[in-house]
Amino acid sequence: MEIDKYLDLQQTWANEIIIFPKNKGFQFQPTMNILSLDVQYSDEMAYVAADIQSFDGQFIQTFGMITHTNFEYIPSLFCFREAPPLLTFIQYLQKNKDFPPFDVILVDGHGIAHHRKFGVASCVGLLANMPTLGCAKDTLVKYNTTLNIAKNSTADIFLGDEMVGYAFRSQENIKPLYVSAGHLISQEESLEIVKNLCKMYRNPEPLRRADAVARLLQKGERTKEYIFLGEMECVKI
DNA sequence: GCGACAG
DNA sequence: ATCTTGTCGC
């Protein structure tokens, strides 16, 4: 695989990412909807789940779809593996007016908290032209700022002089989440969104639902927890 | 040169 | 992410 070609492409696309200052760009309103995405893999098959809820906490629906991936997992080039299945699903939902509309997308992975400031959430935002944010369970960029044990503590993560995201302790004394803006949103708004979506568990509620549905899909269990949309041809990047 | 490295 | 045994807790 021509790694250099993808490193270049990532660098080019990273320059097109727009991160807004505080109180600019996407701002959620209670009635707006958030789309949250997760994927499970079996070999080249990708089992994708998409959850839609409003910001005032109203659950709308979780959907499931099957497609494939053809890019191996390489740390820091993860977006080329995961973004195509996600974009396939996003484009399908956008094209079909029968599906609920959504205003912002939450991705399981990083936004710009990435060595070339181009994680999967930024990739999805740029190619779908939508506001996105990333929420990951491990960090890619090292940080040495202190993170308190208390619930809702945060620590800024820097790449050189630039603040690229947060370590965020969603529950007392548990491993933090890593939150960063993806595209067309501010860091502060991204953190606020994740904060609002975390309830009793480490992960945000809609990502927990998406994760559960992706696992059901993978096992071939067609339950009432989600609406199955069938198998789709994966878009190419 | 070597290790570390989202999902 | 996936593979994988036993173990602990609700």
Side-chain angles (χ1 to χ4, degrees), chain A residues 39-48 65-71 81-82 85 214 217-219 222 228 230-234:
Chain A
V39 186
Q40 299 283 332
Y41 298 95
S42 295
D43 298 318
E44 298 301 278
M45 299 306 295
Y47 302 86
V48 192
M65 177 273 288
I66 300 175
T67 184
H68 56 85
T69 180
N70 40 33
F71 201 99
R81 174 174 174 82
E82 185 134 309
L217 262 174
Q218 185 184 35
K219 288 190 292 184
R222 308 272 180 262
F228 181 52
E231 187 160 348
M232 300 180 199
E233 184 65 27
C234 195

Side-chain angles (χ1 to χ4, degrees), chain A residues 76-189:
Chain A
S76 90
L77 291 180
F78 174 58
C79 63
F80 295 106
R81 174 174 174 82
E82 185 134 309
L86 296 183
L87 289 164
T88 301
F89 211 158
I90 291 164
Q91 288 175 13
Y92 181 83
L93 294 175
Q94 286 174 334
K95 276 180 202 156
N96 291 272
K97 274 321 203 179
D98 309 334
F99 292 106
F102 48 91
D103 307 283
V104 61
I105 303 173
L106 171 62
V107 178
D108 188 351
H110 293 293
I112 65 164
H114 177 282
H115 303 134
R116 287 173 298 282
K117 294 172 52 181
F118 200 74
V120 61
S122 296
C123 187
V124 165
L126 185 70
L127 299 184
N129 192 30
M130 285 280 298
T132 56
L133 61 146
C135 177
K137 293 175 280 301
D138 284 290
T139 190
L140 219 40
V141 180
K142 301 292 184 195
Y143 62 105
N144 44 24
T145 41
T146 317
L147 179 62
N148 294 328
I149 290 298
K151 174 174 170 139
N152 286 342
S153 300
T154 63
D156 291 351
I157 297 174
F158 284 87
L159 190 66
D161 290 346
E162 188 178 2
M163 205 289 277
V164 292
Y166 309 92
F168 166 60
R169 186 109 55 199
S170 58
Q171 307 295 336
E172 182 177 341
N173 201 22
I174 64 156
K175 278 183 60 179
L177 296 171
Y178 298 90
V179 179
S180 58
H183 187 46
L184 303 175
I185 194 171
S186 69
Q187 296 286 18
E188 293 83 356
E189 188 73 9

